[in-house]
Amino acid sequence: MEASESVVHALYKNDQATEAFIDHNLTILASYTTLLKLVPAGTDIFTKTELSRFHQFPKNRPDIYLRTSDGNEAIIILAHDSQSFITRKRLTEIITHSEDDGWDSNYPGIGFVLKDDRAKYSFLHTAHKQLDDLGIDETELTVLATTLEALHSGKKLIWSSAFAAKQFVSLVE
């Protein structure tokens, strides 16, 4: 069987995976299958591992990347098991990437999946303040958030914007 040394090395380390790491990856898988049902037909969905061959993403790749057949794009970060300062740090990294490195076209929408409504609204408040301080408006960079429960509810309108936290929108059309 042909396999690169890095793949074999990663498999060798599998016995050292923590319970939290395994749970996070199972949540990514469940979210992936849920998103398959919610996005338009013909949408490409990539996981973090699949994104390693692309170079336009931030250093810490998103958990899931969506690209619809008509060109709408979104990156999704599952932060349901992260502390709030780590989630804010990920947002800062993505904002910096969008400003410095850019994208071939418009920067994809950014969706954060958080553990509950409290974490979601706190994140959206912080995101709005950060974007506002940098002079970035909603047309330049779309930052959305939802909860893990809402994501798996099967509804399409579960995402709230940093600029309108009480309204619900779709991640991609």
Side-chain angles (χ1 to χ4, degrees):
M1 182 165 108
E2 292 182 35
S4 71
E5 185 176 332
S6 62
V7 171
V8 174
H9 184 51
L11 290 173
Y12 175 73
K13 294 243 177 210
N14 274 351
D15 67 334
Q16 299 172 6
T18 64
E19 199 69 33
F21 175 78
I22 293 168
D23 287 345
H24 182 76
N25 283 292
L26 288 172
T27 302
I28 291 171
L29 176 63
S31 300
Y32 181 99
T33 58
T34 297
L35 288 166
L36 278 174
K37 299 171 193 168
L38 299 176
V39 296
T43 299
D44 295 319
I45 303 178
F46 300 93
T47 62
K48 184 182 287 195
T49 304
E50 294 170 311
L51 294 177
S52 64
R53 61 188 164 142
F54 301 108
H55 300 287
Q56 72 262 32
F57 292 94
K59 180 181 174 188
N60 289 321
R61 304 205 187 295
D63 293 308
I64 298 173
Y65 167 70
L66 304 169
R67 182 178 55 216
T68 64
S69 57
D70 60 353
N72 290 327
E73 299 171 292
I75 59 177
I76 300 172
I77 289 50
L78 276 81
H80 65 285
D81 55 356
S82 298
Q83 294 177 345
S84 59
F85 77 93
I86 293 173
T87 305
R88 289 190 305 268
K89 188 176 178 179
R90 285 296 303 271
L91 176 62
T92 300
E93 176 188 2
I94 292 169
I95 291 171
T96 302
H97 180 265
S98 74
E99 293 291 303
D100 296 344
D101 299 327
W103 201 259
D104 296 337
S105 57
N106 291 335
Y107 204 82
I110 305 160
F112 279 82
V113 179
L114 301 154
K115 66 180 173 181
D116 56 28
D117 282 331
R118 181 174 175 220
K120 173 183 139 181
Y121 289 116
S122 174
F123 169 78
L124 289 171
H125 174 76
T126 303
H128 181 259
K129 184 174 180 345
Q130 187 174 2
L131 293 168
D132 200 39
D133 288 349
L134 293 169
I136 299 171
D137 66 19
E138 193 169 18
T139 60
E140 293 177 73
L141 190 63
T142 303
V143 177
L144 305 172
T146 191
T147 64
L148 191 60
E149 181 181 346
L151 178 65
H152 295 291
S153 71
K155 298 176 184 174
K156 284 190 176 187
L157 300 178
I158 58 168
W159 299 91
S160 298
S161 167
F163 293 93
K166 297 292 184 180
Q167 297 176 359
F168 294 100
V169 298
S170 177
L171 181 64
V172 291
E173 295 298 324

